[in-house]
Amino acid sequence: MANEEKSYPSRLNKNKNNKNRSNSILNIMIALVFTLVVIIGATLLFGGGDDSADPESTEATPETESQTSGDDDTQVTAEENDLEAEEKAEEEAKAEEEAAAKKEAEEKEKEEKEEEEETKGGTITREESNDPIVSETIVNTSWEPVGTSQSGDHVSSYQKNSVDWNEKIEAVTYATGLSQNDMYVMMVQNGGGPQKSIATVQSKDQSEKYRVYLQWVDREGWKPEKMDVLKTLDGAY
């Protein structure tokens, strides 16, 4: 009996000590939670205020970015326009130089041609034609009869390789400057009278086409009277 009374206070003290320890742990945990809440609150309060107050941390808005990009585009466009204007000016200057050089060359060629024609004597007349297939008509007063081996009364012949036909072709080469080896005879026909003929020819490379009007001169042969420089042979004979 005495032993039971002695052990009772000991158990009571043990339970009291356990209870006090649990209370201490709970108080510590509560203190820790409160401290964390205070720290987090302070961080949110003061940290947010600093970010909003810092002008350097302000992000560029889409509008700002658009304005900056627009300024750059404007500058690039202006530079491109200046470059295009400069290139255009250079091209125009080059075209003017080429045109001037071409005109000078044409004038020089014309002068040389006139000098050459003057040395031959006579006058060369070039007239534009209303005929759509004729580029120009040339009359050269220096043209003379090419001579003939025929005698007696002349009878015009259109038979190929006859004496008269060959003399007609000789007069054509004389007027056109084409050799017989570089010439196709397309047609030789009556020119409206017994002593008149018309010969239509072209160079073998087809770059030159002529219609030559011939007149017979007694004892002197066929003489070119005028010559059409043709654009085409269609409708030329």
Side-chain angles (χ1 to χ4, degrees), residues 1-235:
M1 185 72 178
N3 290 333
E4 292 179 358
E5 291 177 357
K6 186 176 180 179
S7 61
Y8 177 76
S10 177
R11 289 196 298 271
L12 183 62
N13 290 333
K14 186 177 179 179
N15 290 333
K16 185 177 181 180
N17 290 334
N18 289 336
K19 185 176 182 180
N20 290 335
R21 184 180 298 171
S22 296
N23 290 336
S24 297
I25 292 172
L26 181 60
N27 291 335
I28 292 170
M29 292 180 66
I30 291 172
L32 288 173
V33 170
F34 179 77
T35 302
L36 288 173
V37 170
V38 172
I39 292 172
I40 293 172
T43 300
L44 293 175
L45 178 62
F46 295 104
D50 292 342
D51 291 343
S52 61
D54 187 3
E56 295 181 357
S57 65
T58 302
E59 296 182 358
T61 63
E63 182 179 356
T64 303
E65 292 178 354
S66 176
Q67 292 175 351
T68 303
S69 176
D71 293 341
D72 293 340
D73 291 343
T74 301
Q75 183 176 0
V76 171
T77 301
E79 292 176 354
E80 291 177 349
N81 290 338
D82 292 342
L83 182 59
E84 289 178 358
E86 183 177 351
E87 291 177 350
K88 185 177 181 180
E90 291 178 354
E91 291 177 356
E92 291 177 351
K94 185 177 179 180
E96 290 178 358
E97 291 178 358
E98 291 177 352
K102 183 178 180 180
K103 184 177 180 181
E104 183 179 355
E106 289 176 350
E107 291 178 351
K108 185 177 180 181
E109 183 179 358
K110 184 178 179 181
E111 290 176 358
E112 291 176 352
K113 194 170 184 180
E114 289 176 352
E115 290 176 0
E116 182 180 354
E117 290 173 351
E118 287 176 0
T119 58
K120 294 179 181 179
T123 302
I124 297 177
T125 304
R126 300 174 183 270
E127 295 182 357
E128 293 185 0
S129 175
N130 294 326
D131 191 329
I133 69 170
V134 178
S135 176
E136 63 178 354
T137 298
I138 299 174
V139 175
N140 188 345
T141 59
S142 68
W143 282 334
E144 297 178 354
V146 295
T148 182
S149 62
Q150 302 178 65
S151 59
D153 294 336
H154 175 259
V155 178
S156 185
S157 173
Y158 296 95
Q159 182 179 354
K160 187 176 181 180
N161 292 327
S162 65
V163 173
D164 191 69
W165 193 91
N166 287 335
E167 289 181 355
K168 288 184 176 79
I169 302 305
E170 184 180 350
V172 171
T173 62
Y174 167 56
T176 61
L178 295 175
S179 68
Q180 294 189 33
N181 293 330
D182 186 34
M183 181 174 66
Y184 290 121
V185 179
M186 310 306 297
M187 176 68 73
V188 179
Q189 63 194 83
N190 187 285
Q195 307 301 329
K196 291 180 180 291
S197 293
I198 301 174
T200 304
V201 299
Q202 71 171 341
S203 61
K204 288 188 175 180
D205 64 4
Q206 301 182 9
S207 63
E208 299 179 59
K209 302 173 180 65
Y210 302 102
R211 184 167 57 194
V212 183
Y213 297 79
L214 304 174
Q215 172 69 50
W216 173 260
V217 179
D218 287 338
R219 296 183 297 276
E220 295 184 25
W222 289 101
K223 173 186 176 183
E225 286 195 313
K226 67 176 181 177
M227 179 175 68
D228 292 334
V229 180
L230 302 174
K231 300 176 183 177
T232 179
L233 294 177
D234 294 338

